[in-house]
């Protein structure tokens, strides 16, 4: 057992402290001490940054900074991958932070010889998430600076930020950004709520009764494959372009998803659980509330997450087609007047809100159904 | 409380959609006195589980009678508890969904054990006492607030056993309760079942695939034969009583035990070969 660790942990004569100091002071040249290959690669990167600097100074500076950060990371990575004990030289907390960023592996995974294909080896790359976001903004800025596209097509990030502040404070078409967003969220939640309110009981009835199953089957099977977007014209004909038509549409979008989720949740139960409940003296009502319902919760929750995603997409589309307020309305009007910056603001907000809803649902799920996937 | 289980010429025939029939049980008759321990052994398809479900009241026989404590069995009842198979891993019917046995994973260990009494409307304070007593019986003191998915397979089956006992049944039906456990845990659970049988004087019917387990735990042992499912041979055995005082491993290596084991094993081998032969002929 001991021989294993001594064989792999070959002591490196290089000091992590010296490597970091040199890299911080000299950048890629200092990195040559830790890794020759890394130093050469980043020197080339610095050269590219120099050319960019001559074309667009701020972007070039950004690239210089990025290369400097990369050099520090590379120095740590190069030395610790040879000798994991060097991590001990770092101040406490730094190693944990590095592990979170995905720069070093600690714990059991540190000793894994097979990593390619191991799902665990492909988790925790926070650093690369930061890199990708920074890269997108850098490329965006660069494209604008180099005037690759007219600002009408591609406004600079600064203008988008400016537009954001304007609509957040002054508003657009009678409503501030928050009011537009609030109207959209209101429609979303009400439609979704009624979809669940009706869909879950129908799903339960279908899962528990042959008659209900037979009765609702044709309706559900017919309505389910119709994309909610195809119902937008009908909802406008029936209910106009106000809240009612949006809520009705989202109700329909959520309804069938929730019916199917609840039905399959009910039917996912193991007969042994039903038998156990009956032998332990449960009545039908007790069985429904204490056994069938909790057993179906994981699938109901999955359905809710799917329904939320579909509803959000459907809502934005419905507001694009016809509305007098809402986040989708905002970007379609902005688009008509070529206010591209505002269109960008809207798209970014739609993306962030959609992601936030899903994260919130996942957190709620983990809290309310801790047994999901474990039992 | 002296309740006798009487199975009188019970038969069970399933009709198949293509018009054929399967005789899952044919003319099964026996009586089991209060406090007896019966083990049932046999190849797959011999109707063991059908017999158990019939006694539990989940199935009705197509002919003959099942009676308990003087009355016909017409449905599940709290006096007859069934301890279900412990299944670990993905359930075959539902792909990725993991489900284990019959425990309610949305409840804690204590809530699971107290399920029966709480269905009957026993006050909370009393339930806590019952739960603690049976946690003690199965050796899980201090595990009451744990979630089911935090327990190992062996511990889960202990919880299931405690949940059965907490409902104070007279008859406990065990359907391969230890099938999915590793050898060591299985041996511990066998001792536990013997101990509980001795302490609570419950009537127990235990189905198993393991000849050793059937011999070790059964005062009476039925070897069942398939197609039609029937009782092939009955044994009266001394090992369960001896197991209360002696070491189980010593009993298992005794001459009488080994001899009976080999006899039953070759009996089951013959049945399996016969089934294979019939399938080849068909």
């Amino acid at each position: 057992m001991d021989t294993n660790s001594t064989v792999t942990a070959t002591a490196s004569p290089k000091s992590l402290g010296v490597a970091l100091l040199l890299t911080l002071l000299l950048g890629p040249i200092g990195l040559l001490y830790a890794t020759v290959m890394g130093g050469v690669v980043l020197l080339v990167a610095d050269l590219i940054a120099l050319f960019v600097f001559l074309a667009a100074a701020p972007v070039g500076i950004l690239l210089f900074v990025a290369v400097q950060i990369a050099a520090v990371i590379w120095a740590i990575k190069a030395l610790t991958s040879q000798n994991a004990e060097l991590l001990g030289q770092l101040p406490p907390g730094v190693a944990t932070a590095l592990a979170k960023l995905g720069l070093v592996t600690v714990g059991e995974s540190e000793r894994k010889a097979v990593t390619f294909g191991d799902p665990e080896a492909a988790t925790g790359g926070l650093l690369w998430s930061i890199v990708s976001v920074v890269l997108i903004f850098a490329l965006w800025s660069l494209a604008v600076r180099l005037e690759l596209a007219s600002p009408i097509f591609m406004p600079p990030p600064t203008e988008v930020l400016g537009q954001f502040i304007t609509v957040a404070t002054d508003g657009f078409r009678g409503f501030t950004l928050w009011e537009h967003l609030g109207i959209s969220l209101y429609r979303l939640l009400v439609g979704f709520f009624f979809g669940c309110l009706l869909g879950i009981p129908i799903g339960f009835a279908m899962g528990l009764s042959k008659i209900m199953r037979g009765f609702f089957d044709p309706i559900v099977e017919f309505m389910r494959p119709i994309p909610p977007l195809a119902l937008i014209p009908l909802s406008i004909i029936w209910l106009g372009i106000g809240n009612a038509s949006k809520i009705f549409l989202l109700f329909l979008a959520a309804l069938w998803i929730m019916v199917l989720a609840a039905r399959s949740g009910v039917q996912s139960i193991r007969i042994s659980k039903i038998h156990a409940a009956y032998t332990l003296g449960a009545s039908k009502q007790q069985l429904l509330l204490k056994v069938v319902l909790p057993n179906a919760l994981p699938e109901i929750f999955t359905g809710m997450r799917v329904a939320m995603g579909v509803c959000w997409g459907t809502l934005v589309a419905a507001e694009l087609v016809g509305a007098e307020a809402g986040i989708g309305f905002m970007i379609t009007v902005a688009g008509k007047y070529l206010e591209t910056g505002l269109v960008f603001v809207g798209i970014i907000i739609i993306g962030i809100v959609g992601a936030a809803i899903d994260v919130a649902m996942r957190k709620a799920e983990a809290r309310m159904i801790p047994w999901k996937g474990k039992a | 409380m002296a309740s006798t289980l009487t199975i009188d010429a019970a038969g069970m025939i399933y009709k198949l959609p293509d018009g054929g029939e399967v005789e899952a049980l044919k003319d099964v008759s026996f009586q089991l006195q209060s406090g007896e321990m019966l083990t049932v052994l046999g190849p797959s398809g011999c109707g063991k589980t059908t017999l158990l479900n019939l006694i539990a009241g989940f199935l009705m026989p197509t002919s003959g009678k099942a009676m308990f404590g003087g009355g016909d069995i017409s449905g599940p009842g709290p006096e007859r508890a069934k301890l279900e198979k412990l299944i670990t891993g993905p359930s075959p019917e539902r792909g990725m969904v993991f489900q284990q046995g019959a425990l309610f994973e949305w409840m804690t260990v204590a809530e699971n054990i107290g399920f029966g009494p709480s269905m009957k409307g026993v006050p909370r304070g009393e339930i806590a006492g019952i739960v603690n007593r049976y946690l003690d019986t199965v050796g899980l003191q201090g595990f009451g607030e744990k979630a089911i998915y935090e327990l190992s397979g062996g511990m889960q089956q202990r919880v299931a056993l405690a949940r059965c006992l907490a409902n104070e049944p007279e008859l406990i039906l065990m359907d391969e309760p230890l099938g999915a456990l590793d050898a060591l845990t299985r041996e511990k659970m066998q001792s536990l079942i013997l101990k509980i049988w001795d302490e609570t004087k419950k009537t127990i019917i235990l189905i198993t695939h393991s000849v050793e387990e059937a011999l070790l735990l059964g005062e009476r042992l039925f070897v069942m034969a398939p197609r039609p499912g029937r009782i092939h041979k009955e044994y009266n055995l001394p090992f369960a009583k001896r197991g209360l005082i002696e070491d189980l491993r010593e009993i298992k290596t005794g001459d009488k035990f080994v001899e009976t084991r080999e006899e039953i094993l070759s009996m089951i081998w013959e049945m399996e070969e016969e089934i294979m032969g019939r399938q080849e002929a068909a």
Side-chain angles (χ1 to χ4, degrees):
Chain A
M1 275 194 175
D2 270 345
T3 50
N4 255 346
S5 50
T6 45
V7 167
T8 36
T10 339
S12 161
K14 289 170 188 169
S15 147
L16 192 58
V18 173
L20 284 178
L21 194 69
L22 283 174
T23 311
L24 279 172
L25 287 176
L26 303 173
I29 297 168
L31 179 62
L32 288 169
Y33 166 76
T35 152
V36 175
M37 208 257 282
V40 171
V41 169
L42 289 188
L43 271 173
V44 174
D46 258 351
L47 211 61
I48 296 170
L50 187 65
F51 281 115
V52 174
F53 179 76
L54 295 176
V59 181
I61 291 169
L62 204 73
L63 275 182
F64 278 125
V65 174
V67 170
Q68 183 64 22
I69 294 170
V72 172
I73 291 166
W74 206 322
I76 295 171
K77 189 104 182 114
L79 290 186
T80 54
S81 67
Q82 292 163 20
N83 183 358
E85 278 162 35
L86 282 177
L87 274 179
Q89 293 180 4
L90 294 168
V94 173
T96 338
L98 290 176
K100 203 159 197 178
L101 284 170
L103 280 176
V104 296
T105 40
V106 291
E108 191 198 335
S109 313
E110 194 190 309
R111 289 273 164 237
K112 275 183 182 168
V114 174
T115 50
F116 186 74
D118 178 354
E120 227 172 76
T123 56
L126 182 61
L127 173 73
W128 306 110
S129 308
I130 297 169
V131 167
S132 89
V133 172
V134 170
L135 202 64
I136 286 170
F137 278 94
L139 288 177
W140 182 4
S141 307
L142 191 66
V144 172
R145 283 275 161 184
L146 297 177
E147 288 172 6
L148 292 180
S150 137
I152 288 191
F153 297 118
M154 187 62 111
T158 44
E159 196 202 313
V160 173
L161 187 67
Q163 280 281 11
F164 172 76
I165 293 165
T166 313
V167 284
T169 51
D170 299 349
F172 179 78
R173 304 274 148 158
F175 298 101
T176 67
L177 175 63
W178 310 120
E179 281 166 339
H180 280 298
L181 186 60
I183 290 163
S184 291
L185 286 177
Y186 167 78
R187 292 165 175 163
L188 175 78
L189 292 179
V190 174
F192 171 78
F193 173 77
F194 282 106
C196 292
L197 194 69
L198 198 68
I200 295 172
I202 292 179
F204 265 72
M206 287 179 80
L208 293 168
S209 147
K210 190 189 284 183
I211 297 170
M212 292 297 166
R213 175 74 188 258
F215 184 84
F216 284 109
D217 240 356
I219 307 173
V220 173
E221 292 301 323
F222 175 73
M223 290 302 292
R224 190 181 54 134
I226 298 176
L229 300 183
L231 300 172
I232 293 176
L234 191 65
S235 76
I236 292 176
I237 293 171
W238 283 358
L239 296 161
I241 57 167
N243 274 345
S245 71
K246 309 291 172 293
I247 290 171
F248 172 69
L249 194 66
L250 297 195
F251 161 75
L252 283 183
L255 181 66
W256 315 116
I257 297 173
M258 293 316 298
V259 167
L260 289 179
R263 191 190 80 190
S264 92
V266 169
Q267 299 197 322
S268 72
I269 199 159
R270 226 172 225 295
I271 188 69
S272 59
K273 287 191 170 64
I274 301 279
H275 281 175
Y278 277 128
T279 37
L280 292 168
S283 65
K284 279 184 188 166
Q285 196 196 344
Q286 285 169 325
L287 180 87
L288 187 62
L289 291 178
K290 305 274 178 174
V291 180
V292 175
L293 177 65
N295 182 78
L297 279 183
E299 295 203 36
I300 289 177
F301 233 97
T302 307
M304 285 168 101
R305 268 180 62 194
V306 173
M308 260 297 187
V310 170
C311 281
W312 184 236
T314 307
L315 173 66
V316 172
E319 289 177 345
L320 289 177
V321 174
E324 71 291 341
I327 198 89
F329 162 79
M330 192 184 88
I331 62 173
T332 187
V333 174
K336 274 184 196 145
Y337 292 92
L338 282 181
E339 292 196 48
T340 321
L342 191 55
V343 173
F344 270 69
V345 170
I347 291 171
I348 292 170
I349 298 247
I350 289 166
I352 291 175
V353 170
I357 290 172
D358 198 56
V359 169
M361 298 283 283
R362 278 210 299 261
K363 293 250 172 198
E365 185 178 47
R367 246 191 119 93
M368 290 170 64
I369 320 173
W371 68 87
K372 185 177 183 180
K374 295 174 192 158
Chain B
M1 291 291 262
S3 303
T4 310
L5 174 73
T6 310
I7 305 296
D8 186 16
M12 178 70 86
I13 296 169
Y14 297 119
K15 287 205 170 56
L16 298 178
D18 63 10
E21 283 180 347
V22 173
E23 208 164 8
L25 280 181
K26 188 186 182 183
D27 200 22
V28 172
S29 295
F30 66 92
Q31 265 206 342
L32 199 64
Q33 302 303 327
S34 182
E36 277 188 307
M37 168 90 97
L38 167 71
T39 51
V40 181
L41 197 61
S44 347
C46 70
K48 301 182 299 260
T49 301
T50 303
L51 177 64
L52 217 56
N53 280 334
L54 206 132
I55 300 168
F58 301 141
L59 290 173
M60 293 293 124
T62 40
S63 59
K65 260 187 174 181
M67 286 181 294
F68 186 71
D72 280 1
I73 295 171
S74 62
E79 73 284 354
R80 287 163 283 123
K82 189 173 170 206
L83 185 67
E84 301 280 350
K85 273 179 210 175
L86 178 72
I87 298 143
T88 53
S91 77
E93 307 97 306
R94 297 208 44 84
M96 286 306 294
V97 183
F98 282 73
Q99 275 174 323
Q100 287 172 358
L103 290 175
F104 306 136
E105 54 267 14
W106 47 90
M107 298 180 183
T108 63
V109 167
E111 285 167 338
N112 263 285
I113 298 175
F115 186 82
S118 80
M119 291 300 103
K120 276 185 268 176
V122 175
R124 277 169 167 268
E126 262 177 68
I127 291 178
I130 296 172
V131 168
N132 279 332
R133 189 161 81 239
Y134 288 105
L135 276 175
D136 229 42
T137 309
V138 297
L140 284 179
Q141 303 91 328
F143 281 87
E145 294 315 309
K146 287 257 186 245
I148 297 304
Y149 53 81
E150 293 175 289
L151 305 182
S152 68
M155 286 161 114
Q156 291 192 6
Q157 205 56 331
R158 281 167 196 256
V159 175
L161 191 55
R163 185 173 73 175
C164 274
L165 294 168
N167 209 37
E168 312 251 315
E170 294 165 46
L171 173 64
I172 303 180
L173 307 163
M174 302 185 180
D175 190 1
E176 293 175 38
L178 313 181
L181 301 179
D182 63 275
L184 202 69
T185 314
R186 191 169 184 149
E187 213 164 274
K188 281 189 205 157
M189 287 295 285
Q190 288 167 349
S191 305
L192 179 68
I193 289 174
L194 279 180
K195 188 191 105 181
I196 287 170
W197 172 59
D198 182 47
E199 281 173 8
T200 61
K201 311 286 177 218
K202 304 276 181 210
T203 318
I204 297 177
I205 302 180
L206 184 141
I207 286 179
T208 175
H209 266 122
S210 152
V211 177
E212 228 166 52
E213 189 165 286
L215 284 171
L216 217 47
L217 300 182
E219 274 184 299
R220 290 169 70 188
L221 187 162
F222 291 165
V223 180
M224 290 184 72
R227 298 171 198 220
R230 62 201 184 272
I231 297 171
H232 181 73
K233 190 158 183 190
E234 180 178 350
Y235 289 85
N236 285 296
L237 301 164
F239 308 115
K241 282 261 160 63
R242 277 174 54 196
L244 294 173
I245 28 177
E246 287 172 52
D247 183 52
L248 290 191
R249 252 175 265 171
E250 252 166 57
I251 298 176
K252 274 195 233 173
T253 46
D255 289 345
K256 176 89 192 306
F257 189 94
V258 174
E259 189 187 308
T260 324
R261 190 185 67 198
E262 292 311 307
E263 185 184 316
I264 295 176
L265 271 174
S266 39
M267 200 184 298
I268 292 178
W269 262 112
E270 266 165 41
M271 285 181 207
E272 298 269 12
E273 302 239 302
E274 204 193 315
I275 297 169
M276 299 282 276
R278 253 189 272 173
Q279 272 169 351
E280 270 160 32

